[in-house]
Amino acid sequence: MNKKNIIICRCEDVNLEQVHELLDQGYTTIEDIKRLLRIGMGPCQGKTCGLLLQQEISRYLKCKTEEVPLAKVRPLVTGVKLKAIVEGTK
Amino acid sequence: MNANIVIIGAGISGTSIAYHLAAKGIKDIIVIDKDYLTNGATGRCGAGIRQQWATKMNCIMAKKSVEFYEKANQTLGYSHDIEFKQEGYLIVAVTPEEDAQFTKNVELQNSLGIKSRKITKEEAKKIVPHINTDMFISATFCPTDGHINPFKANDAFYQAAKRLGVTFYFHETVQSIQTDHHRIVGVTTDKRTFQTTKVINAAGGFAHEIGLMAGVDIPVYAEKHEILVTEPIEKIQGPMVMSFGKNLYCQQVPQGSFVMGRGTPDALHNHDITSSWEFLDEMAKTVVSFLPIIGELRVIRQWAGSYNMSPDRQPILGSVDECDGFYVACGFSGHGFMFAPITGLLLSEIIMNEPTTIDMAELCMNRFKNQKTIEVEKSVV
């Protein structure tokens, strides 16, 4: 299957070919790839793509999946409207 | 291992210095960073590019940097795009004092060739239709200010430097700097030692600690600044909207999200970069008061980074009296990203003993010893 047609990050529309290009250039951590391709920066915050990217990196580096650190988890856990936060502080 | 020059920090100041030195033909340049590329302040910043300053030095440095960034994709031979969006900064005056100060700022900026202008609330509303005009008195606008993708910009300098022969060591921490009679002789990391006579401190939030390793007490400290990003929507806002008095900056980036931040009053001087709910509350209230429609957007992520603060909120650049071969590029006070091109150029000129593009008297570290009164930049968030 064409790597261009395999979507890794749905929020930011990133495909497997883009990931492999960066791996070949020496960017082999999730934090590096996240910043250059925006993987995991969309509304799902990496809940789907993070694990797919971890698997791809472990295959590329020929190491165990758990040896590839996941991206740092940042708040919020889910999207909240700014308006709702303002209401909540009243 | 021998190195001609060791640069500490692969944020955009470090990569720009490495690129500018390598472009002048210097060999054996080493850059060391304690984590992944763009892990520090560069990758955490609001990524605004602004020329509207209140001090002459900041205006000149910002303008020269914008001129570089406008051609950076070609100059650096970058195969991607640093995404320089030049749709301006709209800076609002919220008090009569700010209104008067902004008139002076625009005069200074215009005298230096920066095309900013003072505008009325009505004109501001035409530029940002969803702004709440009850919140401010007047505004200034500079159309060539804007936004750049900080990850791509640092990657562009990094790749260009690598092609010119610079060697990068990531995930490696500097542990000590060796000196002999106040001259640099080496740098030791957790993995190896480099013999070198020149060290450049581009360590951002950790610049003070790196200075102490060489016996140099640089008058800077780290201070946490927080920021958040919303879900993306269709384009509704061109320029950055900024208020010094109400402590706010907010911009829609090309990918559609809004990125916004504010300083924390009385922030402690330390390396804390955790996110806080207090910031989220205050940020939400501030942005919704200026840009009510933004209240409809969901916050999807918040983070923080360190400003490296100097006494006058202007950078500290160049050599130091206390140690031969030790150079600093720090104290950017939240503006290192937008000044990176001129930082790299000036440091390369100083190290090559060339005449500098800008007079360094007001940028070198000993300005704090010589000057009785320091002109402090007030146009900061």
PDB file of all heavy atoms in Angstrom, chain B residues 314-337:
ATOM      1  N   GLN B 314      16.773  43.909  27.516  1.00  0.00           N
ATOM      2  CA  GLN B 314      17.439  43.841  26.221  1.00  0.00           C
ATOM      3  C   GLN B 314      18.496  42.736  26.329  1.00  0.00           C
ATOM      4  O   GLN B 314      19.023  42.495  27.415  1.00  0.00           O
ATOM      5  CB  GLN B 314      18.111  45.172  25.877  1.00  0.00           C
ATOM      6  CG  GLN B 314      17.118  46.322  25.743  1.00  0.00           C
ATOM      7  CD  GLN B 314      17.756  47.577  25.166  1.00  0.00           C
ATOM      8  OE1 GLN B 314      17.600  47.869  23.999  1.00  0.00           O
ATOM      9  NE2 GLN B 314      18.477  48.304  25.981  1.00  0.00           N
ATOM     10  N   PRO B 315      18.831  42.072  25.208  1.00  0.00           N
ATOM     11  CA  PRO B 315      19.768  40.954  25.295  1.00  0.00           C
ATOM     12  C   PRO B 315      21.171  41.367  25.732  1.00  0.00           C
ATOM     13  O   PRO B 315      21.541  42.534  25.639  1.00  0.00           O
ATOM     14  CB  PRO B 315      19.785  40.386  23.880  1.00  0.00           C
ATOM     15  CG  PRO B 315      19.172  41.400  23.004  1.00  0.00           C
ATOM     16  CD  PRO B 315      18.283  42.244  23.854  1.00  0.00           C
ATOM     17  N   ILE B 316      21.931  40.390  26.208  1.00  0.00           N
ATOM     18  CA  ILE B 316      23.339  40.577  26.558  1.00  0.00           C
ATOM     19  C   ILE B 316      24.142  39.751  25.563  1.00  0.00           C
ATOM     20  O   ILE B 316      23.993  38.527  25.503  1.00  0.00           O
ATOM     21  CB  ILE B 316      23.620  40.112  28.003  1.00  0.00           C
ATOM     22  CG1 ILE B 316      22.674  40.827  28.975  1.00  0.00           C
ATOM     23  CG2 ILE B 316      25.080  40.371  28.365  1.00  0.00           C
ATOM     24  CD1 ILE B 316      22.788  40.347  30.418  1.00  0.00           C
ATOM     25  N   LEU B 317      24.960  40.430  24.770  1.00  0.00           N
ATOM     26  CA  LEU B 317      25.651  39.762  23.668  1.00  0.00           C
ATOM     27  C   LEU B 317      27.142  40.071  23.682  1.00  0.00           C
ATOM     28  O   LEU B 317      27.549  41.185  23.999  1.00  0.00           O
ATOM     29  CB  LEU B 317      25.076  40.223  22.313  1.00  0.00           C
ATOM     30  CG  LEU B 317      23.573  40.042  22.066  1.00  0.00           C
ATOM     31  CD1 LEU B 317      23.201  40.597  20.695  1.00  0.00           C
ATOM     32  CD2 LEU B 317      23.193  38.573  22.156  1.00  0.00           C
ATOM     33  N   GLY B 318      27.949  39.063  23.314  1.00  0.00           N
ATOM     34  CA  GLY B 318      29.373  39.304  23.074  1.00  0.00           C
ATOM     35  C   GLY B 318      30.296  38.753  24.132  1.00  0.00           C
ATOM     36  O   GLY B 318      29.922  37.894  24.929  1.00  0.00           O
ATOM     37  N   SER B 319      31.543  39.270  24.140  1.00  0.00           N
ATOM     38  CA  SER B 319      32.563  38.788  25.063  1.00  0.00           C
ATOM     39  C   SER B 319      32.332  39.384  26.449  1.00  0.00           C
ATOM     40  O   SER B 319      31.533  40.302  26.615  1.00  0.00           O
ATOM     41  CB  SER B 319      33.954  39.171  24.549  1.00  0.00           C
ATOM     42  OG  SER B 319      34.005  40.567  24.351  1.00  0.00           O
ATOM     43  N   VAL B 320      33.051  38.837  27.449  1.00  0.00           N
ATOM     44  CA  VAL B 320      32.928  39.349  28.824  1.00  0.00           C
ATOM     45  C   VAL B 320      34.329  39.633  29.369  1.00  0.00           C
ATOM     46  O   VAL B 320      35.302  39.004  28.961  1.00  0.00           O
ATOM     47  CB  VAL B 320      32.186  38.352  29.745  1.00  0.00           C
ATOM     48  CG1 VAL B 320      30.770  38.113  29.260  1.00  0.00           C
ATOM     49  CG2 VAL B 320      32.934  37.032  29.860  1.00  0.00           C
ATOM     50  N   ASP B 321      34.424  40.591  30.293  1.00  0.00           N
ATOM     51  CA  ASP B 321      35.730  40.967  30.857  1.00  0.00           C
ATOM     52  C   ASP B 321      36.306  39.868  31.746  1.00  0.00           C
ATOM     53  O   ASP B 321      37.518  39.719  31.862  1.00  0.00           O
ATOM     54  CB  ASP B 321      35.591  42.250  31.710  1.00  0.00           C
ATOM     55  CG  ASP B 321      35.152  43.434  30.860  1.00  0.00           C
ATOM     56  OD1 ASP B 321      35.327  43.359  29.619  1.00  0.00           O
ATOM     57  OD2 ASP B 321      34.623  44.407  31.424  1.00  0.00           O
ATOM     58  N   GLU B 322      35.421  39.091  32.379  1.00  0.00           N
ATOM     59  CA  GLU B 322      35.860  38.156  33.425  1.00  0.00           C
ATOM     60  C   GLU B 322      36.571  36.921  32.891  1.00  0.00           C
ATOM     61  O   GLU B 322      37.309  36.277  33.627  1.00  0.00           O
ATOM     62  CB  GLU B 322      34.651  37.693  34.259  1.00  0.00           C
ATOM     63  CG  GLU B 322      34.024  38.769  35.130  1.00  0.00           C
ATOM     64  CD  GLU B 322      33.046  39.672  34.376  1.00  0.00           C
ATOM     65  OE1 GLU B 322      32.964  39.568  33.125  1.00  0.00           O
ATOM     66  OE2 GLU B 322      32.370  40.480  35.028  1.00  0.00           O
ATOM     67  N   CYS B 323      36.325  36.544  31.639  1.00  0.00           N
ATOM     68  CA  CYS B 323      36.884  35.280  31.129  1.00  0.00           C
ATOM     69  C   CYS B 323      37.152  35.380  29.633  1.00  0.00           C
ATOM     70  O   CYS B 323      36.232  35.627  28.851  1.00  0.00           O
ATOM     71  CB  CYS B 323      35.912  34.137  31.427  1.00  0.00           C
ATOM     72  SG  CYS B 323      36.553  32.527  30.986  1.00  0.00           S
ATOM     73  N   ASP B 324      38.390  35.146  29.255  1.00  0.00           N
ATOM     74  CA  ASP B 324      38.792  35.202  27.852  1.00  0.00           C
ATOM     75  C   ASP B 324      38.240  33.993  27.099  1.00  0.00           C
ATOM     76  O   ASP B 324      38.388  32.860  27.570  1.00  0.00           O
ATOM     77  CB  ASP B 324      40.322  35.182  27.790  1.00  0.00           C
ATOM     78  CG  ASP B 324      40.848  36.326  26.963  1.00  0.00           C
ATOM     79  OD1 ASP B 324      40.164  37.362  26.907  1.00  0.00           O
ATOM     80  OD2 ASP B 324      41.936  36.170  26.368  1.00  0.00           O
ATOM     81  N   GLY B 325      37.621  34.225  25.957  1.00  0.00           N
ATOM     82  CA  GLY B 325      37.109  33.119  25.157  1.00  0.00           C
ATOM     83  C   GLY B 325      35.702  32.700  25.529  1.00  0.00           C
ATOM     84  O   GLY B 325      35.163  31.762  24.963  1.00  0.00           O
ATOM     85  N   PHE B 326      35.084  33.404  26.489  1.00  0.00           N
ATOM     86  CA  PHE B 326      33.700  33.096  26.870  1.00  0.00           C
ATOM     87  C   PHE B 326      32.788  34.185  26.297  1.00  0.00           C
ATOM     88  O   PHE B 326      33.002  35.373  26.544  1.00  0.00           O
ATOM     89  CB  PHE B 326      33.572  33.041  28.398  1.00  0.00           C
ATOM     90  CG  PHE B 326      32.255  32.490  28.881  1.00  0.00           C
ATOM     91  CD1 PHE B 326      31.918  31.154  28.699  1.00  0.00           C
ATOM     92  CD2 PHE B 326      31.333  33.312  29.537  1.00  0.00           C
ATOM     93  CE1 PHE B 326      30.708  30.637  29.153  1.00  0.00           C
ATOM     94  CE2 PHE B 326      30.115  32.800  29.989  1.00  0.00           C
ATOM     95  CZ  PHE B 326      29.815  31.455  29.792  1.00  0.00           C
ATOM     96  N   TYR B 327      31.799  33.769  25.525  1.00  0.00           N
ATOM     97  CA  TYR B 327      30.882  34.698  24.869  1.00  0.00           C
ATOM     98  C   TYR B 327      29.454  34.394  25.314  1.00  0.00           C
ATOM     99  O   TYR B 327      29.122  33.236  25.557  1.00  0.00           O
ATOM    100  CB  TYR B 327      30.981  34.566  23.346  1.00  0.00           C
ATOM    101  CG  TYR B 327      32.367  34.837  22.812  1.00  0.00           C
ATOM    102  CD1 TYR B 327      33.313  33.813  22.773  1.00  0.00           C
ATOM    103  CD2 TYR B 327      32.744  36.107  22.367  1.00  0.00           C
ATOM    104  CE1 TYR B 327      34.601  34.045  22.299  1.00  0.00           C
ATOM    105  CE2 TYR B 327      34.023  36.347  21.897  1.00  0.00           C
ATOM    106  CZ  TYR B 327      34.949  35.320  21.861  1.00  0.00           C
ATOM    107  OH  TYR B 327      36.215  35.558  21.403  1.00  0.00           O
ATOM    108  N   VAL B 328      28.649  35.425  25.401  1.00  0.00           N
ATOM    109  CA  VAL B 328      27.270  35.207  25.831  1.00  0.00           C
ATOM    110  C   VAL B 328      26.279  35.679  24.771  1.00  0.00           C
ATOM    111  O   VAL B 328      26.529  36.640  24.030  1.00  0.00           O
ATOM    112  CB  VAL B 328      26.953  35.910  27.178  1.00  0.00           C
ATOM    113  CG1 VAL B 328      27.762  35.300  28.311  1.00  0.00           C
ATOM    114  CG2 VAL B 328      27.190  37.400  27.102  1.00  0.00           C
ATOM    115  N   ALA B 329      25.159  34.990  24.697  1.00  0.00           N
ATOM    116  CA  ALA B 329      24.014  35.401  23.873  1.00  0.00           C
ATOM    117  C   ALA B 329      22.800  35.017  24.702  1.00  0.00           C
ATOM    118  O   ALA B 329      22.238  33.936  24.554  1.00  0.00           O
ATOM    119  CB  ALA B 329      24.024  34.688  22.526  1.00  0.00           C
ATOM    120  N   CYS B 330      22.419  35.886  25.627  1.00  0.00           N
ATOM    121  CA  CYS B 330      21.350  35.518  26.559  1.00  0.00           C
ATOM    122  C   CYS B 330      20.613  36.775  27.039  1.00  0.00           C
ATOM    123  O   CYS B 330      20.829  37.868  26.522  1.00  0.00           O
ATOM    124  CB  CYS B 330      21.931  34.741  27.741  1.00  0.00           C
ATOM    125  SG  CYS B 330      23.101  35.674  28.720  1.00  0.00           S
ATOM    126  N   GLY B 331      19.721  36.597  27.992  1.00  0.00           N
ATOM    127  CA  GLY B 331      18.985  37.742  28.536  1.00  0.00           C
ATOM    128  C   GLY B 331      17.973  38.331  27.563  1.00  0.00           C
ATOM    129  O   GLY B 331      17.611  39.500  27.667  1.00  0.00           O
ATOM    130  N   PHE B 332      17.462  37.514  26.656  1.00  0.00           N
ATOM    131  CA  PHE B 332      16.559  38.046  25.620  1.00  0.00           C
ATOM    132  C   PHE B 332      15.201  38.475  26.182  1.00  0.00           C
ATOM    133  O   PHE B 332      14.435  39.135  25.497  1.00  0.00           O
ATOM    134  CB  PHE B 332      16.382  37.013  24.503  1.00  0.00           C
ATOM    135  CG  PHE B 332      17.612  36.829  23.674  1.00  0.00           C
ATOM    136  CD1 PHE B 332      18.503  35.792  23.929  1.00  0.00           C
ATOM    137  CD2 PHE B 332      17.921  37.708  22.655  1.00  0.00           C
ATOM    138  CE1 PHE B 332      19.662  35.635  23.184  1.00  0.00           C
ATOM    139  CE2 PHE B 332      19.066  37.559  21.895  1.00  0.00           C
ATOM    140  CZ  PHE B 332      19.943  36.518  22.164  1.00  0.00           C
ATOM    141  N   SER B 333      14.894  38.075  27.388  1.00  0.00           N
ATOM    142  CA  SER B 333      13.688  38.539  28.079  1.00  0.00           C
ATOM    143  C   SER B 333      12.408  38.246  27.294  1.00  0.00           C
ATOM    144  O   SER B 333      11.467  39.043  27.282  1.00  0.00           O
ATOM    145  CB  SER B 333      13.799  40.044  28.366  1.00  0.00           C
ATOM    146  OG  SER B 333      15.024  40.335  29.012  1.00  0.00           O
ATOM    147  N   GLY B 334      12.398  37.093  26.618  1.00  0.00           N
ATOM    148  CA  GLY B 334      11.200  36.689  25.889  1.00  0.00           C
ATOM    149  C   GLY B 334      11.234  37.009  24.405  1.00  0.00           C
ATOM    150  O   GLY B 334      10.250  36.790  23.702  1.00  0.00           O
ATOM    151  N   HIS B 335      12.386  37.500  23.904  1.00  0.00           N
ATOM    152  CA  HIS B 335      12.414  37.923  22.495  1.00  0.00           C
ATOM    153  C   HIS B 335      13.582  37.343  21.716  1.00  0.00           C
ATOM    154  O   HIS B 335      13.982  37.880  20.697  1.00  0.00           O
ATOM    155  CB  HIS B 335      12.404  39.452  22.428  1.00  0.00           C
ATOM    156  CG  HIS B 335      11.357  40.020  23.321  1.00  0.00           C
ATOM    157  ND1 HIS B 335      11.650  40.667  24.498  1.00  0.00           N
ATOM    158  CD2 HIS B 335      10.008  39.938  23.262  1.00  0.00           C
ATOM    159  CE1 HIS B 335      10.522  40.983  25.112  1.00  0.00           C
ATOM    160  NE2 HIS B 335       9.514  40.547  24.399  1.00  0.00           N
ATOM    161  N   GLY B 336      14.112  36.217  22.199  1.00  0.00           N
ATOM    162  CA  GLY B 336      15.257  35.597  21.534  1.00  0.00           C
ATOM    163  C   GLY B 336      14.912  35.027  20.178  1.00  0.00           C
ATOM    164  O   GLY B 336      15.736  35.042  19.266  1.00  0.00           O
ATOM    165  N   PHE B 337      13.684  34.526  20.034  1.00  0.00           N
ATOM    166  CA  PHE B 337      13.297  33.929  18.749  1.00  0.00           C
ATOM    167  C   PHE B 337      13.284  34.987  17.645  1.00  0.00           C
ATOM    168  O   PHE B 337      13.869  34.807  16.585  1.00  0.00           O
ATOM    169  CB  PHE B 337      11.928  33.259  18.875  1.00  0.00           C
ATOM    170  CG  PHE B 337      11.419  32.700  17.586  1.00  0.00           C
ATOM    171  CD1 PHE B 337      12.106  31.686  16.936  1.00  0.00           C
ATOM    172  CD2 PHE B 337      10.250  33.189  17.014  1.00  0.00           C
ATOM    173  CE1 PHE B 337      11.649  31.174  15.729  1.00  0.00           C
ATOM    174  CE2 PHE B 337       9.782  32.671  15.813  1.00  0.00           C
ATOM    175  CZ  PHE B 337      10.483  31.668  15.174  1.00  0.00           C
TER     176      PHE B 337
END
